[in-house]
Amino acid sequence: MSEQNVDLVKSAYAAFAEGDVPTVLGIFADDIEWHEAEGMPYGGVHRGGEAVVQNVFGPISQDVDGFAVTPEEFMASGDKVAAVVRYTGTGRATGKPLDLPVVHVWDIQDGKAARFRQFVDTVKFAEVVPAAD
């Protein structure tokens, strides 16, 4: 089961890289619980795919030119998949490059992503994408 879960998470990153948000949303459970790290401009818990699009995907695409999430490593245990990824792009407001390692932890239930948790150096991210006033 762990390998199937890793494949599901990999497919989410591949679809996101292609800008295929409908496929990404199809991987999410309807009531996905998305935990964006506190201290991020989009920080907090977002419930449901549309909330993730409106509060995370949309804003980050506006704030970071060329935003990309590149998976580097996957680890699985039961229904959990951890992904070490790298965020890259250029902060629109600052012109500074973004190149930051991040860890995502996904909980998979019934073949869907039920929960997502992000672990990131929010201070480093804020140097590129300052919080809105």
Side-chain angles (χ1 to χ4, degrees), residues 1-2 4-17 20-21 23-29 31-36 46 48-49 52 56-57 67 69-87 102-119:
M1 187 55 113
S2 290
Q4 288 175 316
N5 292 341
V6 169
D7 289 343
L8 180 74
V9 171
K10 284 181 177 179
S11 71
Y13 290 114
F16 186 83
D20 185 356
V21 174
T23 296
V24 175
L25 294 178
I27 292 164
F28 293 176
D31 60 348
I32 188 169
E33 191 176 281
W34 187 279
H35 295 257
E36 194 78 4
H46 309 287
V52 173
V56 181
F57 293 176
F67 179 72
V69 179
T70 305
E72 296 179 343
E73 185 176 357
F74 294 93
M75 295 152 273
S77 178
D79 64 352
K80 295 190 182 342
V81 177
V84 178
V85 303
R86 184 160 295 276
Y87 288 176
V102 181
V103 174
H104 295 160
V105 178
W106 300 81
D107 292 16
I108 310 301
Q109 293 177 353
D110 301 322
K112 296 281 188 176
R115 183 171 69 163
F116 168 93
R117 290 174 287 163
Q118 174 197 58
F119 301 91

